[in-house]
């Protein structure tokens, strides 16, 4: 069965030079893939304005990969060089079989197993159970500390205190380090940057500010709403002195900073738009319905579910993954004149 070649012929892409290629996930620009973002569901109990419209249509259950399918494809990726796996979504904690998935993935020979969550459905027992099953790190999302704003941004009834509690619980459970993401959007929450940093100093976590990206299902992104890394850092420095400490490894997304006064926690900036880090990218995404996306902004997706359900051998799936990764685009192209937002919003890709 020649399952790999149609990717290239049907999409007018140059096929990889198999003679030169090693059996590891590497793209045509020489970037090695070590990080897998696995979206476990596209569903969510929130409808964050920068991510999902209230009337979003979700995938049908039958379209979602099962736990054995996710574990198989993750295992094959690990065999091809993946060292870290992050579970995401949608909201991974609404996924019914999350614990089974964590337990199975934790058995793979990887260096790291992490998850990103909105933190609204977490309690002590869940955090401790995830840790026991093998989850190492947790990233939570918190864009505002103000209840009215939190309700407006997430379109939920969850108060921000629930997420703040979840941050403390994750730390208490030994998930380490705990990080918190905030997407900063002009005139929504750009006046809370310092308040969020103060919370990070008080509790002791790394606060990660993410530049707003054109991945919202409403397609309402525009450059005027973007608050740049430079502006975020300038704002923080009006109150706290920061010491740059570089990225986490060569391909880390975040520009990390410690507090110069030695306070616990820190600040990270994910400057996806203004300081692009595509040249060092080591990431590969697989959506909840089994589409391999070499880039967050890919317009090409590769359907591994068909192979998983069609009796393909491990070797055939590996070839398919190798071919898919080879097509990874040079960069996301947000700043290019002809940029087109991908059809899938963030929630259906996996952030
Ligand atoms: N539901 C989980 C959560 O919110 O943490 C995990 C999935 S969410 C898609 C992953 C991350 O993507 C979140 O931290 C969220 O803030 C971020 N995100 C969503 N839409 C975004 C956008 N348009 N630009 C930048 N970041 C975005
Ligand atoms: Fe849900 Fe996360 Fe998207 Fe918010 S950012 S709607 S919590 S998937």
């Amino acid at each position: 069965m020649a399952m790999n070649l149609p990717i290239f012929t049907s999409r007018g892409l140059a096929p990889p030079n198999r003679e030169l290629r090693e059996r590891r996930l590497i793209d045509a620009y020489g970037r090695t893939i070590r990080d897998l973002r696995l979206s476990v569901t596209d569903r969510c109990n929130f409808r964050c304005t920068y991510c999902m419209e209230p009337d979003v249509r979700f995938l049908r259950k039958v379209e979602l990969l099962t736990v054995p399918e996710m574990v198989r494809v993750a295992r094959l990726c690990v065999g091809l060089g993946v060292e870290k796996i992050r579970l995401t979504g949608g909201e991974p904690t609404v996924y019914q079989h999350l614990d089974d998935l964590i337990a199975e993935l934790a058995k793979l020979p990887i260096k790291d197993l992490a998850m990103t969550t909105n933190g609204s459905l977490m309690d002590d027992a869940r955090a401790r159970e995830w840790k026991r099953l093998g989850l190492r790190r947790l990233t939570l999302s918190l864009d505002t500390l103000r209840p009215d704003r939190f309700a407006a941004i997430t379109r939920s009834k969850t108060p921000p205190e629930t997420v703040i509690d979840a941050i403390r619980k994750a730390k208490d459970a030994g998930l380490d380090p705990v990080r918190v993401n905030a997407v900063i959007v002009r005139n929504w929450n750009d006046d809370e940057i310092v308040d969020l940093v103060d919370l990070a100093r008080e509790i002791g976590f790394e606060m990660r500010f993410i530049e707003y990206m054109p991945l919202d299902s409403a397609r309402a992104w525009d450059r005027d709403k973007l608050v740049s890394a430079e502006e975020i850092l300038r704002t923080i420095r009006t109150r706290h002195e920061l010491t740059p400490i570089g990225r986490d490894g060569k391909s880390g997304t975040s520009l990390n900073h410690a507090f110069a006064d030695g306070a616990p926690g820190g600040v990270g900036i994910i400057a996806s738009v203004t300081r692009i880090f595509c040249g060092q990218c080591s990431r590969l995404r697989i959506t909840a319905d089994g589409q391999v996306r070499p880039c967050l902004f890919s317009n090409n997706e590769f359907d591994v579910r068909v192979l998983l359900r069609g009796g393909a051998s491990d070797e055939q799936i590996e070839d398919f993954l190798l071919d898919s990764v080879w097509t990874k685009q040079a960069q996301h192209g947000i700043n290019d004149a002809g940029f087109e937002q991908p059809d899938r919003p963030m929630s259906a890709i996996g952030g």
Side-chain angles (χ1 to χ4, degrees):
M1 240 189 314
M3 290 193 176
N4 43 350
L5 287 177
I7 291 180
F8 298 97
T9 49
S10 67
R11 294 171 199 266
L13 299 166
N17 183 342
R18 290 186 169 277
E19 301 287 308
L20 294 177
R21 209 172 57 188
E22 295 169 56
R23 215 150 168 82
R24 68 191 163 103
L25 296 171
I26 183 164
D27 72 11
Y29 299 93
R31 294 170 296 189
T32 302
I33 301 304
R34 301 189 196 285
D35 302 297
L36 174 64
R37 303 258 166 125
L38 195 57
S39 175
V40 305
T41 177
D42 62 332
R43 285 171 194 261
C44 187
N45 57 332
F46 284 8
R47 297 286 185 277
C48 300
T49 37
Y50 51 72
C51 180
M52 242 192 239
E53 284 296 87
D55 60 351
V56 64
R57 282 187 59 187
F58 294 117
L59 294 162
R60 289 172 301 138
K61 261 200 174 144
V62 62
E63 295 176 275
L64 300 178
L65 294 189
T66 62
V67 169
E69 287 167 344
M70 282 192 261
V71 173
R72 184 176 179 206
V73 73
R75 173 175 59 76
L76 296 175
C77 287
V78 170
L80 297 172
V82 160
E83 297 172 344
K84 298 178 182 177
I85 299 177
R86 175 173 293 275
L87 302 178
T88 180
E91 175 48 44
T93 64
V94 304
Y95 179 58
Q96 209 186 344
H97 307 293
L98 178 64
D99 289 10
D100 295 343
L101 182 63
I102 292 175
E104 289 305 312
L105 293 176
K107 292 177 192 159
L108 297 175
I110 46 177
K111 291 184 182 160
D112 193 22
L113 182 59
M115 181 164 76
T116 308
T117 172
N118 65 28
S120 63
L121 300 172
M122 202 187 99
D123 56 19
D124 271 331
R126 278 194 102 178
R128 287 183 197 286
E129 183 61 0
W130 296 333
K131 170 74 183 168
R132 191 187 70 77
L133 293 172
L135 189 73
R136 298 202 187 164
R137 299 190 291 123
L138 200 66
T139 300
L140 298 105
S141 298
L142 177 67
D143 305 308
T144 172
L145 305 178
R146 302 189 193 174
D148 54 337
R149 250 186 216 179
F150 193 92
I153 292 178
T154 63
R155 300 176 175 123
S156 80
K157 294 200 164 72
T158 302
E161 272 309 321
T162 302
V163 184
I164 297 169
D165 274 357
I167 297 168
R168 296 186 201 275
K169 284 170 186 154
K171 281 188 63 127
D172 291 348
L175 293 161
D176 183 37
V178 170
R179 293 184 172 132
V180 176
N181 286 347
V183 181
I184 301 299
V185 182
R186 175 84 57 214
N187 297 332
W188 287 6
N189 60 349
D190 50 336
D191 55 349
E192 284 190 75
I193 293 170
V194 172
D195 295 347
L196 288 164
V197 170
D198 286 340
L199 184 72
R201 289 165 61 89
E202 181 199 321
I203 300 181
F205 61 80
E206 187 184 316
M207 187 69 227
R208 288 197 156 178
F209 295 101
I210 308 179
E211 287 182 348
Y212 181 30
M213 292 183 279
L215 286 170
D216 52 321
S217 67
R219 296 180 170 259
W221 184 90
D222 74 54
R223 206 162 275 274
D224 292 345
K225 294 188 185 138
L226 174 77
V227 181
S228 69
E230 193 194 339
E231 182 177 337
I232 293 169
L233 282 170
R234 206 179 332 116
T235 305
I236 299 168
R237 286 192 163 118
T238 59
R239 285 276 283 280
H240 302 292
E241 206 179 316
L242 296 175
T243 310
I245 50 172
R247 297 184 188 268
D248 313 317
K250 204 167 74 149
S251 57
T253 51
S254 172
L255 301 159
N256 299 326
H257 298 76
F259 294 113
D261 64 2
V267 168
I269 313 277
I270 304 187
S272 321
V273 183
T274 65
R275 293 195 206 167
I276 64 170
F277 36 79
C278 302
Q280 277 72 47
C281 184
S282 61
R283 282 167 289 286
L284 174 69
R285 290 180 161 79
I286 301 183
T287 66
D289 55 338
Q291 304 301 305
V292 177
R293 292 180 63 89
C295 172
L296 188 51
F297 288 84
S298 288
N299 284 311
N300 289 323
E301 298 187 332
F302 304 104
D303 188 356
V304 75
R305 189 185 62 193
V306 163
L307 303 197
L308 289 165
R309 294 185 182 173
S313 67
D314 282 359
E315 196 182 349
Q316 284 167 330
I317 295 175
E318 283 173 3
D319 281 346
F320 184 87
L321 293 166
L322 288 164
D323 287 355
S324 306
V325 163
W326 188 261
T327 70
K328 188 174 167 80
Q329 61 208 60
Q331 55 133 315
H332 54 48
I334 300 174
N335 301 312
D336 298 349
F339 171 76
E340 275 186 36
Q341 183 168 338
D343 291 339
R344 278 184 191 255
M346 184 67 127
S347 58
I349 300 172

